[in-house]
Amino acid sequence: MFLKNRHSLLTFLVVFFTAFSMQAADIWVATNGNDANEGTKASPLATVHMALRKARELRRLKDASVKGGIHIIIKDGTYYFDEPLFVRPEDSGTADSPTTIEADANAKPIFHGGIQIKNWKKTTTTINGLKAGAVWVADAPQIAGEVINYRQLWVNDVKAVRAKSTAGDKMDRILSWDKETETCWIPFKDKSVKFEPGMEMFIVQWWAIANLRIKNIEVVKDSARLSFEKPESRIQSEHPWPAPWISKNNGNSAFFLNNGMSLLNEAGEWFLDRKKAKIYYIPRAGENMASAKVTAPVLENLVDVKGTIDSPVSYFKFKGISFQYSNWLRPSQQGHVPLQAGMYLLDAYKLKVPGTPNQANLENQAWVGRPRAAVEVNFANNTAFESCSFEHLSSTGLDFNKGTNHNRVQGNLFKDIGGNGINLGVFSEEPFEAHLPLVVKDEREVCSDELVADNMITNVANEDWGCLGIAAGFVKGLTIEHNEISDVAYSGISMGWGWTHTENVMRNNKILANKIHHYAKHLHDVAGIYTLSSQADSRIEENYIDKVYFSPYAHDPFLWLYLYTDEGSQHFTIQNNWIPIQKILKNNNGPAGNIWKDNYAFVDPKIKENAGVRAPYANLKKEVVVDETWGLQEMPKSVAIELVGKDFDIEKIKSTIKGFRIVGEELYQWENHLVIYGLMNQPERTKKKLALAFPALQIKIYENPVYDFQNFERCPGVKPASEWENIVLTANLVEDPKMQQEYLDYHKTQFEKWPEVAKGFCNADFQQLQVFKNGRQLMLVISIPKGESLDKLNPKTTENNPRVDEWNAIMKKYQTGVEGTKPGEVWNFLKKLEEKK
């Protein structure tokens, strides 16, 4: 009995001293602390910088208290940073003794990179025609006698608008662009706009934007010619992709001017006059500038986690921390002309003779730089960001760049961010041309085996519209799963770089069970998930992608997609993704190809239900932002367009309709009848363009089917096939109008009065059967599973089903052949025109 009690006592003492030891490695920080304090809960430090130094000393001295790890515990409050927090290799923990910077229980500490602007007063004079007092003014904050520069301003945590030339969400259209003189002509009817040094042009160009510093504005009547500062002037006019566009069909590139005092005229706008050291703002409704919290960003980088290839930062974690208010000034200093995903061009030009050793048809060269991020991570492993928030940031939120592996980003909020929510991997280092595959001698340089999971990413890319929710470059072993992404200006997730099918470091990447919706807010050539280049053994599975914004300023209004495998993409398995329709694009994929299977609205419903953020992070769902200012894209519908004539120029026809991005586009022909069938938007617009290109042809539209059988609606327990083959037939109704109406009436009531007919179609595994009518002429489309034949399936419609024979007999009296049909024939089969290989 005595020995047993003695053992219990020893156990108690071990547990007690272990707990005491772990307690001793807790370092506390509070806004009312002092860096001369001990760092205990009762006597906290004032800055996380000093806490990290104290933790570093404990590890240097091999203090026994760090055995169970070091916890830097941050009490509630806002911590204003005047320099970034630098996490060094010496700050690394171990698997058994990690270092964690974490929020105190129920606290939401903010690491703040900005400054508050106070003492606002009403102006006493009229400004830009506004009455006195409509504009408020404050002294611009300064450091060392210099006015702080910034491109963003937040009022009560809501981003204000840099004074611009157009009202609200409206934009103007350029008139022309002259690459030789590097100038742009714009409409210029508002003569109250005056050129001021520092003014910029914001322009939309394909899948990106550009910020161009204006050198001069030369006004000629109701137009003006803009010239720009170097280096962006040359880059903007020399680089071929993306570039300003001139389009009679969809309008020229959209733009506005900004950052001028003469542009300040609308509620919510602001202007920083650096010469006078004044900041001006027009309040929105309900804003009281006497008490408003007005914030300008100062630091471009709040946290820098940086090791070396041989001494990485390891086992370091942030939990429950909010990173807020970062700055980004490069566009104000050198302009900003991105290639893609926010990666800005350092140099770019078109090759006089296309072709490089890696790509025979490549016509452009480009070298890119990488925007700053609020939190930057290089050469680090086994770090984590969990339950943090990244908000009110000017450029990228969180950036894992080079030499990072086995890190975790989970359960975080990314919201109100100017650039990418999350960056991962190298996107071509500055010395290397952007279209080269990344091949390294030391694989430790590659961003690998990272987990990005259960994050809410919403209202990002709100400054650089060409950015994304998650942007991954040259990565391997990356898993992006169960994130929710909404309210983005461009695509949801992009993965890959290089535009090449050449094998490279990328492999074994996974995009799984993400929920992506309300994207493409401003730009097109866009997708929920987008890929580039060869990525061996990679998967895109069980994602839920829906709801695409309609943008009035997109260069190609029909080029919006759910899944998009772009240049060189190969070795992907893309399956079981929930998308409303198969609006996808496989553009110049690699020769090895990809596996596509079951990407449509009929996958297991659990895929849709399970996508997105999981417990215990489900509370993030309340943060979702949706802005339907423009509304949503209209879903394409089944349409057939018939061309009647002779000597069809098939390639010209295909070229003419290419810009309309017809989903499942197929061409069928019988004699002098050519039919284009697929899911279309604005068929009248398509018809108009065809009519202009082929004035000798008769063109007819068949839409809004008079009969529409869909097996998912009529065949209980049946899952539609993921790939269909369509059979297209045409016939006429008899000339008697009364009999034509009888035919239509029969089809309106067929499902109720003749259910056996639909049952026959189910038995035959018809995927759909649609009857269209234009005048007397009918167009019948029967869709069957790919690889099946109508001759095999059609007899099943009448097996043990005599009412189908009865139905068919009745229908015969209403139908007759079109002109040119042989005697005794009614329905003519149109032959599908196969694609040239």
Side-chain angles (χ1 to χ4, degrees):
M1 180 65 71
F2 173 75
L3 291 175
K4 184 176 180 181
N5 286 341
R6 183 183 179 195
H7 176 73
S8 298
L9 177 61
L10 289 173
T11 301
F12 170 78
L13 292 173
V14 168
V15 171
F16 175 83
F17 284 112
T18 299
F20 181 82
S21 172
M22 292 180 69
Q23 175 103 21
D26 289 349
I27 303 171
W28 290 79
V29 182
T31 54
N32 62 352
N34 190 306
D35 279 350
N37 289 346
E38 297 177 358
T40 63
K41 187 173 185 179
S43 183
L45 302 173
T47 68
V48 66
H49 299 72
M50 182 56 72
L52 186 58
R53 180 190 296 187
K54 191 174 185 69
R56 190 179 304 132
E57 286 300 290
L58 291 174
R59 292 206 182 275
R60 182 179 72 85
L61 297 172
K62 296 181 173 58
D63 192 283
S65 66
V66 306
K67 183 178 180 180
I70 299 176
H71 296 264
I72 299 174
I73 304 170
I74 316 297
K75 291 188 176 182
D76 204 17
T78 299
Y79 297 81
Y80 291 92
F81 283 17
D82 51 22
E83 63 178 323
L85 180 68
F86 189 5
V87 182
R88 302 171 167 86
E90 293 86 354
D91 300 319
S92 296
T94 66
D96 295 327
S97 176
T99 295
T100 302
I101 297 178
E102 61 186 300
D104 189 15
N106 301 316
K108 295 180 180 179
I110 297 170
F111 291 1
H112 198 296
I115 191 170
Q116 301 297 315
I117 300 175
K118 301 180 180 180
N119 301 317
W120 289 85
K121 298 177 181 178
K122 290 183 177 182
T123 53
T124 57
T125 60
T126 62
I127 294 178
N128 298 335
L130 300 173
K131 65 180 182 181
V135 180
W136 288 64
V137 63
D139 292 332
Q142 302 182 35
I143 295 179
E146 293 287 332
V147 173
I148 299 170
N149 198 10
Y150 41 89
R151 300 175 60 83
Q152 293 79 26
L153 188 77
W154 281 268
V155 179
N156 296 330
D157 293 333
V158 177
K159 184 180 286 185
V161 178
R162 212 171 181 216
K164 61 186 183 68
S165 59
T166 56
D169 293 313
K170 292 182 180 179
M171 301 183 77
D172 286 326
R173 303 275 191 175
I174 67 170
L175 299 174
S176 64
W177 194 284
D178 188 333
K179 293 185 178 181
E180 296 299 321
T181 61
E182 300 176 7
T183 57
C184 175
W185 282 95
I186 64 171
F188 203 82
K189 296 181 180 180
D190 185 357
K191 300 304 187 290
S192 68
V193 175
K194 306 296 182 183
F195 170 69
E196 304 166 54
M199 283 180 68
E200 296 181 7
M201 179 187 206
F202 179 97
I203 183 170
V204 174
Q205 38 199 30
W206 299 72
W207 56 87
I209 56 90
N211 301 101
L212 308 171
R213 296 171 299 157
I214 300 172
K215 184 177 182 179
N216 189 40
I217 299 179
E218 175 190 349
V219 180
V220 180
K221 296 183 179 179
D222 285 343
S223 302
R225 183 169 70 168
L226 308 184
S227 57
F228 307 98
E229 300 287 358
K230 303 287 187 179
E232 67 266 34
S233 178
R234 176 185 59 80
I235 293 172
Q236 169 72 357
S237 287
E238 280 196 342
H239 82 284
W241 303 104
W245 76 83
I246 305 297
S247 171
K248 293 180 180 178
N249 291 326
N250 304 321
N252 299 343
S253 278
F255 81 95
F256 55 73
L257 309 182
N258 66 4
N259 198 39
M261 186 65 180
S262 64
L263 306 176
L264 183 70
N265 56 19
E266 189 174 23
E269 289 188 335
W270 66 278
F271 174 70
L272 170 63
D273 189 330
R274 298 184 70 202
K275 287 187 177 180
K276 295 181 179 179
K278 298 292 183 181
I279 174 78
Y280 298 89
Y281 178 68
I282 303 175
R284 296 181 176 102
E287 290 176 341
N288 181 355
M289 297 309 294
S291 58
K293 182 182 75 171
V294 182
T295 308
V298 179
L299 294 183
E300 293 193 304
N301 175 235
L302 306 183
V303 176
D304 189 2
V305 181
K306 192 171 186 178
T308 69
I309 195 167
D310 293 314
S311 297
V313 175
S314 303
Y315 295 100
F316 200 101
K317 180 178 180 180
F318 291 86
K319 185 174 183 180
I321 305 298
S322 182
F323 305 96
Q324 295 190 17
Y325 298 106
S326 66
N327 202 2
W328 189 44
L329 289 176
R330 190 181 191 281
S332 296
Q333 299 162 347
Q334 299 183 64
H336 179 60
V337 185
L339 174 62
Q340 190 162 306
M343 304 299 144
Y344 53 82
L345 290 165
L346 300 166
D347 195 8
Y349 54 86
K350 187 172 183 177
L351 296 170
K352 290 183 179 179
V353 180
T356 66
N358 182 56
Q359 297 186 60
N361 298 320
L362 186 66
E363 67 172 2
N364 59 307
Q365 300 279 271
W367 291 260
V368 299
R370 190 184 192 99
R372 297 304 306 271
V375 178
E376 298 177 352
V377 183
N378 285 274
F379 293 106
N381 62 60
N382 295 289
T383 69
F385 291 83
E386 183 179 357
S387 299
C388 297
S389 66
F390 298 76
E391 298 183 78
H392 317 312
L393 307 174
S394 298
S395 185
T396 305
L398 174 61
D399 190 350
F400 282 82
N401 184 2
K402 188 176 182 181
T404 66
N405 62 83
H406 295 92
N407 300 292
R408 179 169 60 91
V409 181
Q410 190 165 20
N412 303 285
L413 172 65
F414 295 83
K415 186 175 184 179
D416 187 15
I417 294 175
N420 295 316
I422 305 173
N423 269 354
L424 299 119
V426 168
F427 289 77
S428 301
E429 293 192 87
E430 292 188 4
F432 292 96
E433 205 278 319
H435 301 87
L436 293 174
L438 180 63
V439 180
V440 297
K441 292 182 178 179
D442 192 334
E443 291 263 331
R444 292 180 298 171
E445 294 182 12
V446 181
C447 177
S448 62
D449 301 300
E450 314 282 37
L451 174 66
V452 179
D454 300 295
N455 301 287
M456 176 60 67
I457 303 169
T458 188
N459 185 22
V460 301
N462 58 31
E463 290 274 339
D464 184 340
W465 293 349
C467 289
L468 307 101
I470 301 174
F474 287 107
V475 292
K476 67 172 184 177
L478 172 64
T479 300
I480 300 173
E481 65 179 13
H482 284 283
N483 303 282
E484 181 168 348
I485 300 173
S486 73
D487 203 61
V488 288
Y490 182 51
S491 295
I493 298 172
S494 74
M495 188 164 68
W497 197 250
W499 292 267
T500 173
H501 64 260
T502 303
E503 300 300 322
N504 58 82
V505 300
M506 293 187 289
R507 60 183 179 271
N508 193 30
N509 296 313
K510 297 177 283 293
I511 302 176
L512 311 173
N514 299 282
K515 181 179 180 180
I516 303 168
H517 58 103
H518 292 90
Y519 62 97
K521 188 173 182 178
H522 296 296
L523 305 182
H524 280 188
D525 203 348
V526 65
I529 298 174
Y530 170 93
T531 67
L532 276 172
S533 300
S534 180
Q535 303 188 41
D537 300 316
S538 293
R539 296 159 47 205
I540 301 173
E541 298 177 358
E542 300 189 4
N543 299 283
Y544 166 32
I545 309 173
D546 196 10
K547 293 183 174 60
V548 182
Y549 281 125
F550 169 82
S551 170
Y553 301 113
H555 77 283
D556 189 342
F558 303 105
L559 187 47
W560 55 271
L561 309 151
Y562 298 111
L563 298 166
Y564 186 174
T565 51
D566 202 4
E567 301 274 355
S569 294
Q570 63 180 357
H571 302 306
F572 282 94
T573 297
I574 306 163
Q575 64 181 358
N576 294 326
N577 296 287
W578 193 99
I579 55 179
I581 58 172
Q582 292 181 328
K583 200 169 195 310
I584 62 176
L585 182 58
K586 308 169 187 178
N587 183 45
N588 197 23
N589 291 173
N594 302 297
I595 298 171
W596 292 80
K597 185 179 179 182
D598 291 344
N599 300 290
Y600 60 167
F602 307 107
V603 294
D604 186 337
K606 290 183 180 179
I607 289 174
K608 187 174 179 180
E609 296 167 10
N610 294 338
V613 178
R614 301 165 293 188
Y617 310 106
N619 64 307
L620 289 170
K621 295 179 181 179
K622 69 179 184 294
E623 300 287 349
V624 172
V625 172
V626 171
D627 177 10
E628 296 188 1
T629 301
W630 307 128
L632 298 176
Q633 285 286 351
E634 178 185 353
M635 295 298 290
K637 59 183 181 180
S638 296
V639 178
I641 296 179
E642 181 187 28
L643 290 72
V644 183
K646 58 182 179 179
D647 300 326
F648 297 118
D649 185 337
I650 302 301
E651 293 309 313
K652 185 178 178 181
I653 290 171
K654 290 181 179 179
S655 176
T656 302
I657 63 176
K658 182 178 179 180
F660 294 97
R661 311 289 173 181
I662 299 170
V663 179
E665 174 192 311
E666 293 176 339
L667 272 63
Y668 299 83
Q669 186 175 2
W670 173 77
E671 301 292 344
N672 62 335
H673 297 260
L674 183 77
V675 170
I676 305 163
Y677 175 74
L679 303 180
M680 304 184 197
N681 290 108
Q682 301 183 19
E684 285 289 346
R685 188 173 168 187
T686 310
K687 175 185 175 181
K688 183 178 179 181
K689 190 165 185 182
L690 284 166
L692 289 172
F694 304 97
L697 298 179
Q698 180 187 1
I699 304 174
K700 300 166 66 177
I701 294 177
Y702 297 79
E703 58 182 330
N704 303 320
V706 297
Y707 177 79
D708 190 3
F709 165 86
Q710 300 289 334
N711 74 346
F712 71 91
E713 294 177 338
R714 305 295 173 181
C715 308
V718 172
K719 176 184 175 183
S722 60
E723 293 186 87
W724 299 355
E725 291 184 358
N726 298 313
I727 295 92
V728 178
L729 306 91
T730 189
N732 270 343
L733 290 176
V734 296
E735 293 186 9
D736 184 343
K738 181 179 178 182
M739 294 184 69
Q740 292 178 21
Q741 187 59 50
E742 288 177 8
Y743 176 87
L744 297 177
D745 292 341
Y746 264 109
H747 283 81
K748 286 178 182 177
T749 60
Q750 186 223 71
F751 292 123
E752 293 76 30
K753 296 182 178 181
W754 294 79
E756 296 85 355
V757 176
K759 183 180 179 182
F761 296 157
C762 293
N763 293 340
D765 204 16
F766 287 1
Q767 303 299 295
Q768 72 173 0
L769 191 148
Q770 296 179 311
V771 180
F772 300 90
K773 177 180 174 290
N774 185 316
R776 286 176 55 208
Q777 190 173 346
L778 302 175
M779 201 68 65
L780 170 63
V781 180
I782 303 173
S783 303
I784 61 176
K786 189 173 182 178
E788 291 286 358
S789 74
L790 186 62
D791 288 342
K792 174 185 173 184
L793 298 181
N794 196 46
K796 296 182 180 181
T797 62
T798 58
E799 285 182 6
N800 302 314
N801 198 351
R803 285 210 85 197
V804 175
D805 287 325
E806 185 180 348
W807 169 269
N808 290 336
I810 294 172
M811 291 302 106
K812 282 183 179 180
K813 69 179 183 179
Y814 297 106
Q815 302 162 352
T816 185
V818 298
E819 183 179 351
T821 304
K822 295 178 181 179
E825 290 184 348
V826 176
W827 288 100
N828 289 106
F829 285 78
L830 286 83
K831 181 181 178 182
K832 182 179 177 182
L833 302 184
E834 300 296 338
E835 291 284 339
K836 290 183 179 179
K837 302 212 175 168

